[in-house]
Amino acid sequence: MRDLVRVGTVSADPEKLLAAEAAAQLVEDGMLVGLGTGSTVAFLLPALAARGLNLRCVATSPRTEQAARALGMKVEPFHGAGAIPSLDIAIDGADQVAPDGWLVKGGGAAHTREKAVAAAADRFVVIVSSDKVVDALSPPVPLELLEYGLAGTLRRLGAVTLRDVPRSPDGGVIADYTDEFDEPSELAARLSAAVGVVEHGLFPAEMVSDVVVGTGARVETRSLR
């Protein structure tokens, strides 16, 4: 990932489209596919539907599920012990991608489900425009917090701002950790260990298989594992 560097762009949308179309080509007929959430995934869904493959999909948010179904894609539940236990591939965007492959996700408040789907996938592909590639991760880091005991959770975490947005699909409170940090792994461990934190938006590099970046009029793909 050391040669994955930020490249300026006038508009991110053409780059998002390029990355999404490239990732859609990685999906094969008969696969179990995890569908992410966000503006780049909005370009992925029609590109994937246009291929006419026989797929079984799970969605990380109600809006992704609705959009996928509207395109004729088959979306299955991912709730409970009887759901699909593993996926062949998951494709999602990111808010920040560091040179070592660590991610910040959750600008769309779907990071808990996005992480569950990414963890279930044999291959997790991240699709971004070049403006999402950063030299180092920085705040804010999205959080999903338990409503019960919320005041105590906020006191323990410190620099957290609640978002004025609806609860997550699973009832969690959406917030952002806003303090500066140097080591994503250390902050991830601290947040994961904090009582009241349902999930955070730091995704470790070992979870990521590939990063597909739309850069100007071309696509760069970096494999992490």
Side-chain angles (χ1 to χ4, degrees):
M1 286 285 289
R2 65 179 183 277
D3 54 345
L4 186 60
V5 296
R6 186 187 302 181
V7 178
T9 181
V10 175
S11 172
D13 282 355
E15 295 185 343
K16 292 177 181 180
L17 176 60
L18 283 173
E21 290 179 337
Q25 295 301 313
L26 301 175
V27 180
E28 299 176 3
D29 196 56
M31 277 188 165
L32 301 173
V33 182
L35 303 174
T37 293
S39 59
T40 310
V41 172
F43 290 106
L44 170 71
L45 299 180
L48 197 52
R51 296 196 59 206
L53 302 175
N54 179 25
L55 305 173
R56 297 168 62 195
C57 303
V58 298
T60 53
S61 67
R63 61 184 178 275
T64 293
E65 180 175 354
Q66 292 164 9
R69 290 187 186 278
L71 291 165
M73 301 173 71
K74 183 179 180 181
V75 181
E76 300 190 10
F78 205 52
H79 295 85
I84 298 170
S86 63
L87 304 168
D88 295 304
I89 190 170
I91 305 174
D92 204 352
D95 302 313
Q96 301 176 48
V97 182
D100 60 2
W102 271 81
L103 313 175
V104 170
K105 290 180 47 56
H111 49 284
T112 298
R113 290 189 174 193
E114 288 171 340
K115 191 173 284 187
V117 166
D122 293 337
R123 185 179 186 184
F124 177 39
V125 178
V126 177
I127 51 175
V128 294
S129 51
S130 61
D131 60 311
K132 303 299 185 182
V133 179
V134 299
D135 295 327
L137 300 186
S138 61
V141 174
L143 302 173
E144 182 170 342
L145 306 175
L146 191 67
E147 173 76 44
Y148 190 83
L150 180 60
T153 300
L154 295 174
R155 178 181 61 81
R156 288 188 295 273
L157 291 177
V160 173
T161 301
L162 297 179
R163 286 195 212 171
D164 186 18
V165 297
R167 297 289 191 262
S168 78
D170 303 299
V173 176
I174 303 302
D176 291 294
Y177 181 84
T178 58
D179 204 2
E180 297 293 332
F181 59 94
D182 294 320
E183 293 295 335
S185 59
E186 294 179 4
L187 178 59
R190 181 194 164 204
L191 294 174
S192 294
V195 175
V197 174
V198 177
E199 192 52 86
H200 57 80
L202 288 166
F203 283 54
E206 54 265 27
M207 185 176 284
V208 182
S209 303
D210 308 274
V211 179
V212 181
V213 186
T215 302
R218 61 192 174 88
V219 173
E220 294 183 359
T221 301
R222 298 290 181 265
S223 297
L224 276 70
R225 60 179 174 88

